[in-house]
Amino acid sequence: MDSGTTAATSLSPDMVRGKLTANAPLAPLVWFKAGGAADWLFEPADLDDLTRFLGTVNGGMQVMALGLGSNLIVRDGGVPGVVIRLGKAFAKVRDLGDCVLECGGGASGILVASTARDAGIAGLEFLRGIPGTVGGFVRMNGGAYGREVSDVLVDCDVVLADGTLITLPARDLRYTYRHSALPDGAVVVAARFRGQPGDPVAIGAEMDRIAAAREESQPLRSKTGGSTFKNPSGDKAWRLVDAAGCRGLTMGGAQVSEKHTNFLINTGNATSAEIEGLGEEVRRRVRASQGVALEWEIQRVGRP
């Protein structure tokens, strides 16, 4: 028996003040509404509950943070170790002055952008267009409408897999396109973003424009996973997928969106294997017809 298995079997719900659930279904928590269960799902009561729990586990099992589950395929065999989901205690946003907002790791992009608007802070409107939480888009360098997190992040508070709490300046995340150097198992519990002074009316109008553009171009009413593939340098993933003849392509219950070809959708009861398999088939067809190797933007986690 390996150390990870030993750690997993020694866990019990009475170790924490929050909620610790064994064999917890993850499909209801992700946008695709597909996939298996987490060995353990931990929803900490607060920061102290989280650091104590991870200190007890002390790196003895795999740790994965889960935000809104908007850009994620949870494979059908489920996720080993412990999945951490930050709740209301981590969803607060406050104005620190000097055009800086302090945001909990569980706060949504919409909440951050709305708080910035109300405080007259411009430059964070694009976060309205990211369907995720602060923790997720800090890790992934999330972006939309020509801006990304690396443009506005000051620093972030991170709990490492052994329970240590550290603050990392933006430069230490070594951001590239949809990627950061955050270590595996690290949980982003807070971040600070800096904008610039702006007019709340103009900021609100820009947020409305972003919301309308998303509604018009993306299949937001479907069970989807957001942008499937990264945009190659100088091109758009959706254009390549369309040019390869993949618009509307299906595999089981999974389909390439007719509305936006860089989105996969679960038309009913698709398995995660069908969704991921369809994505791989799209990659194969794009490579064969366009000579471009598309890279996944959606995270795929867990056992097949």
Side-chain angles (χ1 to χ4, degrees), residues 175-188:
Y175 275 137
T176 54
Y177 178 60
R178 301 294 178 267
H179 181 77
S180 76
L182 272 176
D184 289 342
V187 181
V188 177

Side-chain angles (χ1 to χ4, degrees), residues 202-254:
I203 294 166
E206 174 64 4
M207 286 173 58
D208 290 345
R209 184 192 71 79
I210 288 170
R214 287 189 71 231
E215 182 71 41
E216 184 180 347
S217 66
Q218 300 176 11
L220 301 180
R221 309 288 172 207
S222 305
K223 292 182 281 190
T224 183
S227 296
T228 304
F229 304 110
K230 299 177 181 180
N231 287 325
S233 180
D235 209 338
K236 296 289 187 183
W238 74 263
R239 191 200 69 76
L240 292 163
V241 175
D242 209 16
C246 296
R247 185 181 293 266
L249 185 68
T250 62
M251 182 178 289

Side-chain angles (χ1 to χ4, degrees), residues 111-122:
L111 177 61
V112 176
S114 300
T115 306
R117 175 198 62 209
D118 296 346
I121 299 172

